[in-house]
Amino acid sequence: MVQSKWMYALAAPGILYFLIFKFAPLWGLLIAFKEYNPFKGLWGSEWIGFTNFTELFKSEIFYLMLRNTFAINIFGIIFMFPLPILLALMLNEIRHETFKRINQSIVYLPHFLSWVVVASMTFFMLSTDVGLINKLISNMGFETVSFLSNPNLFWGLLTAQSMWKEVGWGTIIFLAAMAGVDPQQYEAAVIDGASRMKQIWHVTLPAIRPTIIILLILRLGHMADVGFEQILLMNNPLVTSVSQVFDTYAYTIGILGGKISVGVTVGMFKGVVGLILVMLSNYVVKKLGQEGIY
């Protein structure tokens, strides 16, 4: 440790983050097994076993929330996950360094906008009364489209927002992986007569395959998670049937309704689902002959 003291110093902020914000709060999971009363405190509240879990699973909207949560995440995996890889491949092929850095900066910028700003921009573009797109549609002689209140468009709208906001930021890890590819492999491919596309297919993609697999496994671990702030801002009474997810339910019941135990129960259920999915996906990946995350 003395010899590697500077490495430990560099790792210290990350270690402290996980200890303070991830491991220390784990004791709070006990609330899921209690009828928590803030006045009595954690240890003074009554133990009720798995009653909160039973009520959650018997809830009329449990399967609705499960469907919506998984559907939104499946949309994200199908349409959102591959895009950073494609964008990173395109950025990696730019040979003019200044032009490349300018493009990288431009695609990174939306990540730093809050969801409040993104939701406001969406409203400005798609609302039926002041929306720019609906004004263009109306000027062309067509009827306006209720983009924000149509349940059939809600999941696609969330996915499109996430794509615009996060695709650029998602390229960072893939670009870093591509930077580690041995240049001699490209030189050998050129000598063999490989075109740029074949170099990407036979050199770049195999080199970053472990990174893609690890990120996919980790992404599957968040299948029970949906961006709470994004859903809350885009939600309205007309799309409740497709917008009700575990995060909004925990907020409504746990925070607004005062049933903190139910909110913690939902969070614990999400964590268990994520753990199971990570273990299953890692097992499948290893069975296919690839390197997993453990």
Side-chain angles (χ1 to χ4, degrees), residues 8-18:
Y8 283 101
L10 287 172
I15 294 172
L16 288 174
Y17 167 78
F18 279 98

Coordinates of all heavy atoms in Angstrom, one line a residue, residues 8-18:
Y8 N -3.9 4.6 -4.6 CA -5.0 4.5 -3.6 C -5.6 5.9 -3.4 O -6.8 6.1 -3.1 CB -4.5 4.0 -2.2 CG -4.3 2.5 -2.2 CD1 -3.0 1.9 -2.4 CD2 -5.4 1.6 -2.1 CE1 -2.9 0.5 -2.4 CE2 -5.3 0.3 -2.1 CZ -4.0 -0.3 -2.3 OH -3.9 -1.6 -2.3
A9 N -4.7 7.0 -3.4 CA -5.2 8.3 -3.3 C -6.2 8.7 -4.4 O -7.2 9.4 -4.2 CB -4.0 9.3 -3.2
L10 N -5.8 8.2 -5.6 CA -6.7 8.5 -6.8 C -8.0 7.7 -6.7 O -9.1 8.2 -7.1 CB -6.0 8.1 -8.1 CG -4.8 9.0 -8.6 CD1 -4.1 8.3 -9.7 CD2 -5.4 10.4 -9.0
A11 N -8.0 6.6 -6.1 CA -9.2 5.7 -6.0 C -10.0 6.1 -4.8 O -11.2 5.8 -4.7 CB -8.8 4.3 -5.8
A12 N -9.5 6.9 -3.8 CA -10.2 7.2 -2.6 C -11.5 7.9 -2.8 O -12.5 7.6 -2.2 CB -9.2 8.1 -1.7
P13 N -11.6 8.9 -3.7 CA -12.9 9.6 -3.9 C -14.0 8.6 -4.3 O -15.1 8.6 -3.8 CB -12.7 10.6 -4.9 CG -11.2 10.9 -4.8 CD -10.6 9.6 -4.5
G14 N -13.7 7.7 -5.2 CA -14.7 6.7 -5.7 C -15.0 5.7 -4.6 O -16.2 5.4 -4.4
I15 N -14.0 5.3 -3.8 CA -14.3 4.4 -2.7 C -15.2 5.1 -1.7 O -16.2 4.5 -1.2 CB -13.0 3.9 -2.1 CG1 -12.2 3.1 -3.1 CG2 -13.2 3.1 -0.8 CD1 -10.8 2.7 -2.6
L16 N -14.9 6.3 -1.3 CA -15.7 7.0 -0.3 C -17.1 7.2 -0.8 O -18.1 7.1 -0.1 CB -15.1 8.4 0.0 CG -13.8 8.4 0.8 CD1 -13.2 9.8 0.9 CD2 -14.1 7.8 2.2
Y17 N -17.3 7.5 -2.2 CA -18.6 7.7 -2.7 C -19.4 6.4 -2.5 O -20.6 6.5 -2.0 CB -18.5 8.0 -4.2 CG -19.8 7.8 -5.0 CD1 -20.8 8.8 -4.9 CD2 -20.1 6.7 -5.7 CE1 -22.0 8.7 -5.5 CE2 -21.3 6.5 -6.4 CZ -22.3 7.6 -6.3 OH -23.5 7.4 -6.9
F18 N -18.9 5.2 -2.8 CA -19.7 4.0 -2.7 C -19.9 3.7 -1.2 O -21.0 3.2 -0.8 CB -18.9 2.8 -3.3 CG -19.1 2.8 -4.8 CD1 -18.2 3.3 -5.7 CD2 -20.3 2.2 -5.3 CE1 -18.4 3.3 -7.0 CE2 -20.5 2.2 -6.7 CZ -19.6 2.7 -7.6

